[in-house]
Amino acid sequence: MHQKKQPSTPDTKPHLRPLVPPPQPLARQLDLFSVDAPYPDNGTLLASPGHSAPPLKRPVSAPSSEATTGAPDLRPAPQDAQPPAPLLPVAAGKRRLQIDAHVLDYALLRSKRRSIGFVISDDGLRVTAPKWVTVVEIESAIREKKRWIFAKLHEYRDRSARRLQPQMTWSDGETLPYLGADLTLRIRATQVAGIEYDPEAATLTVCLPVDASEQQLKDRVLGWLQLEAKRVFGERLPLYANKLGVTYKSYALSSATTQWGSCTADGKIRLNWRLMHFALPLIDYVIAHELSHLREMNHSPRFWATVQSIFPEFETARRTLRDSAQETLPIF
């Protein structure tokens, strides 16, 4: 079971679009487990977290010992020096850069953006840069941001390690996170199958035949959680849509392992049912986030102003979802 331990004024008629809309992404999504810097300008919130480099500068090479002394450094290595560990080959699609005593592998993606951006993910560092910027300039920008990059890589590895929690055990008395609090699982052997939630006692009683398998118990609980998700999302979506003055076409549950939610340009919203493990403000933040994409299909300052207009506490919720979510989610 889970171990205990989550500006301009917007258009008032967003559903009206010109006959020939300007180029824009077909969908925006809010993803799980990512490291981001405030207000990335080139990707999906949390899905493509990024950090932009300062204005491009020509790199200045550090002087070598030969340049400063007039001759190469031929001093022998200390007798007790150990040979460095052999490096793994550079993975396909990656580049390698030596930064001080560190070796950094990164992926380089060319795009139409106007600045250099950095993204940290399961694959390490990804650099996005305009086509006209040289590799020398890109690697100079990486060196200038090395402290941020190495800090975020270390942070991401820590979070990935915390995700390796023991899987839940499905037994009487274990707990399950539900709407930000612990829900105690009770199992009752009866001939009639059923499930009963007691909010006062914070218990979920599952009635199953005595010979029922653990998988049957798991399926019953997950089915109940998904029904609860459909109910709660169905109640919260209209509240925030009315506040924003937008109309969504439909909504559905998602079981994605990498996205909290998504919104298409034609108003189709998907929300991850596992949000039901979190407190209601985090659910409301994701809902407000996705509905705001019906005004702004991007993550510009206009978008964040739209989110703030209907969910003023979005910064706190966003930070909590980013920093603590993986510690709350049980491993099924």
Side-chain angles (χ1 to χ4, degrees), residues 215-234:
Q215 186 62 47
Q216 286 176 287
L217 171 61
K218 176 181 175 180
D219 290 345
R220 184 62 55 83
V221 173
L222 298 189
W224 177 81
L225 279 172
Q226 291 172 15
L227 286 174
E228 285 291 286
K230 194 168 186 178
R231 176 185 66 81
V232 172
F233 299 163

Side-chain angles (χ1 to χ4, degrees), residues 143-155:
R143 287 189 172 93
E144 289 185 28
K145 287 293 181 183
K146 64 183 179 181
R147 295 183 63 138
W148 182 88
I149 291 170
F150 285 125
K152 292 302 180 184
L153 285 170
H154 180 73
E155 210 174 289

Side-chain angles (χ1 to χ4, degrees), residues 17-69:
R17 295 185 175 87
L19 292 178
V20 182
Q24 63 181 17
L26 294 180
R28 287 293 176 182
Q29 64 195 36
L30 178 62
D31 285 26
L32 286 68
F33 310 135
S34 57
V35 179
D36 65 329
Y39 312 135
D41 65 356
N42 70 319
T44 305
L45 171 66
L46 298 185
S48 299
H51 197 82
S52 293
L56 297 176
K57 300 177 181 178
R58 293 292 178 180
V60 179
S61 301
S64 66
S65 59
E66 184 172 357
T68 55
T69 64

